[in-house]
Amino acid sequence: MKKFILNMTISANLVIIFAMLVTGFADLLDPRSWPIMSTGGYAFPLFALANLGMIVIWMFISKKHILIPFLGFVVCYVPVMQYCPVHATGEVPLGALKIMTYNTWGFGNQHDHSKEFSVEDTRRKMLQYIADEDCHVVCLQEAPFHYSVRDDVDSILRPKMPYLDTCKIEGGTTLMVLSKYPIKKHELLKYESKANLSAAFYLDVNGKELIILNNHLETNKFSKEEKEQFGDMVKGDMARSGIKTESKFVLKKLGAAAAVRAPQAEAVASYVRMHKGRSMIVCGDFNDIPISYARRTVAKELEDCYVSTAMGPGFTYHRNGMYVRIDNVMCTDDLEPYSFHVDKKCNLSDHYPVVGWVKWHGR
């Protein structure tokens, strides 16, 4: 009986490790060809936690077999670190640039406003938070710039970051970059989308050019009601038959959106390659998880600042039971990132901002 239990436990652990491998490297699959299988990265943390649980189980059954789950983490080191990097907070050197990327959700326009917080109050609180962070460069997504926003931005943000530029497409979202340094120009990247876009903003940082490539890639197109249904499923407030139907619906929708994002991510990666040798920060709302085709494609020739310097999974999206990191900051190899983190001080958007520092090597 003891041998049977041992063999069954070994088999279970090997199955878990196999599942970690399949889901952990799902970002290698093109979602245009493998729409459902390419979403496997969403399941990776569940299998990683199960493998962690196996360490506890082996402590009681056979300590020498603890090597099995440890080897599982070794072979899945890359996806483990992508999802949950482990770095101690380092000292930020003098001369580093503080960077923020933040999807503002229309400057909190869709926030659940109480009697205490009007739309205007919410916007001003958010802008004041951004001003208090005193960044050198701030990249915003879903940042409409109509007249009332303009007045608040001018009074709250412009005294600290006098340079501002925006880019938008007709009927779509707006990208905004604020900076302590002059913004010389911007150019829109060409890819198909009705509402989303990427744009490169050229900054002059004390005589050195820095390209800020701000992105808002294709959304997963969940309606408010669909997000609420997903939240009910996560909380267990749904019948088993409903959970099965909802899961299939969610996977289908995630796969379809990932297929649309794929050429957009490729366009961003192509722009990075075309400007190889120039200093660049690529950031924004990728609308996809750390193990995804979109993130892997963009990050291929860049350093992921969060993965390289942060501690923990760092969820940036935090509504309706969806806790995922879909906002990113990446940089070229002439820049060194420091102490990137998800800042939860401001919860007026459905996203948290990602904040950290970069510094040119040798400067």
Side-chain angles (χ1 to χ4, degrees), residues 94-119:
L94 292 174
L97 304 179
K98 190 175 183 182
I99 309 295
M100 175 190 292
T101 183
Y102 192 11
N103 182 320
T104 73
W105 207 24
F107 290 110
N109 188 48
Q110 301 178 67
H111 182 71
D112 298 327
H113 301 290
S114 67
K115 293 180 181 179
E116 298 178 30
F117 296 95
S118 67
V119 173

Side-chain angles (χ1 to χ4, degrees), residues 184 203-210 279 334-335 360 363:
K184 298 185 293 184
L203 276 59
D204 181 351
V205 181
N206 299 325
K208 191 169 181 64
E209 182 184 76
L210 176 63
S279 301
D334 60 329
L335 297 166
W360 272 284
R363 288 191 67 182

Side-chain angles (χ1 to χ4, degrees), residues 15-17 19-21 23 40 43-53 73:
V15 168
I16 289 170
I17 292 171
M20 286 175 64
L21 283 167
T23 57
F44 175 77
L46 301 178
F47 293 116
L49 286 172
N51 194 51
L52 189 63
F73 284 123

Side-chain angles (χ1 to χ4, degrees), residues 131-147:
D132 290 344
E133 284 300 299
D134 197 23
C135 296
H136 293 88
V137 180
V138 173
C139 301
L140 304 179
Q141 305 86 42
E142 294 189 37
F145 200 45
H146 49 72
Y147 70 93

Side-chain angles (χ1 to χ4, degrees), residues 252-295:
K252 185 175 180 180
K253 201 144 192 176
L254 289 174
V260 176
R261 269 192 301 274
Q264 298 174 359
E266 289 166 356
V268 175
S270 176
Y271 191 91
V272 172
R273 286 194 300 272
M274 286 171 56
H275 295 79
K276 193 173 180 64
R278 299 165 80 171
S279 301
M280 186 181 301
I281 294 173
V282 180
C283 64
D285 179 3
F286 287 22
N287 270 307
D288 224 330
I289 57 174
I291 299 174
S292 64
Y293 181 85
R295 182 213 160 269

